Amino acid sequence: MSSDLAAAYHTVLSTIATAGRGRPVRLVAVSKTHPLERIEALAALGQREFGENYVQELVAKQRARPDLTWHQIGPVQSNKAALVARHADWLHTLDRAKLLPLLDRARPAERGRLNVLIQVNIDAEASKSGCRPEEVMPLAAAVTAHPNLQLRGLMAIPTPHPEWTRRRVSFERMVALYAELRTHHPGIDTLSLGMSDDYPLAIECGANLVRIGSALFGLRR
Ligand SMILES: *Cc1c(COP(=O)(O)O)cnc(C)c1O
């Protein structure tokens, strides 16, 4: 079982390296629903960054392994914002200004700034969270007004269209939005796009952080 994990990890790392053609791309291992032992096993192979969807699950796992880097990649309700600020290193799903003072106030000084990505609902899906593309600029400006938050870039979960050309269109729209944001905020450095079934394409288009669950850990229960 552990050797399966090692094989999957090395496959993912080499696929990332090939797709990135030498560009650095960070891998966030999405460990949601998987027990701590699987995280420990992957950490023993050298993986440092892990992603969780549910705030309570991130809190429990971060308490067990505070030495690892924890990414909150699921939506955050206002009443969970303070927990995210205390336990996460990164938030990928900022989609409204209302969360900002809650995050900023609860961030412990000793943890440094919370890294923030703005989630964009790039395919305008009614069921999906994320802000509209035209809301990115004002939201980014609002993040920079909070001293305990650090704007790092953008995140999206495009519609999983069966046609790759349509997925490419969504990824390329995100790349363009990211480039535009960067002209106003030259310090940003992260475009979080791509999951198990489309990360090579996302990287080819310009993603430099991928979030991968099932390709590493197998299917979720
Ligand atoms: C679950 C999840 C992933 C990982 O999905 P896989 O298809 O298992 O790689 C990535 N990003 C988000 C936001 C997720 O919720």
Side-chain angles (χ1 to χ4, degrees), residues 30 32 53 73 155 157 195-196 211-214 220:
V30 177
K32 63 186 181 204
N53 264 61
I73 63 169
M155 178 273 212
I157 311 169
M195 321 201 322
S196 290
R211 310 173 308 266
I212 299 186
S214 49
R220 289 179 288 278

Side-chain angles (χ1 to χ4, degrees), residues 54-98:
Y54 303 102
V55 174
Q56 298 293 0
E57 197 175 341
L58 178 137
V59 169
K61 289 170 171 173
Q62 188 273 336
R63 282 197 170 120
R65 288 298 301 260
D67 57 312
L68 301 173
T69 298
W70 292 96
H71 295 248
Q72 171 63 29
I73 63 169
V76 175
Q77 294 172 281
S78 300
N79 63 1
K80 298 273 174 21
L83 281 174
V84 170
R86 279 187 229 122
H87 294 275
D89 298 289
W90 287 72
L91 170 63
H92 286 230
T93 53
L94 181 77
D95 61 355
R96 58 199 190 281
K98 194 182 154 206

Side-chain angles (χ1 to χ4, degrees), residues 172-184:
E172 286 175 349
R173 284 165 60 215
M174 283 300 299
V175 170
L177 199 54
Y178 176 71
E180 189 190 343
L181 182 63
R182 214 172 170 189
T183 64
H184 298 268

Side-chain angles (χ1 to χ4, degrees), residues 3 17 37 113 168 218:
S3 67
E37 301 83 79
R113 290 165 151 195
R168 184 183 282 278

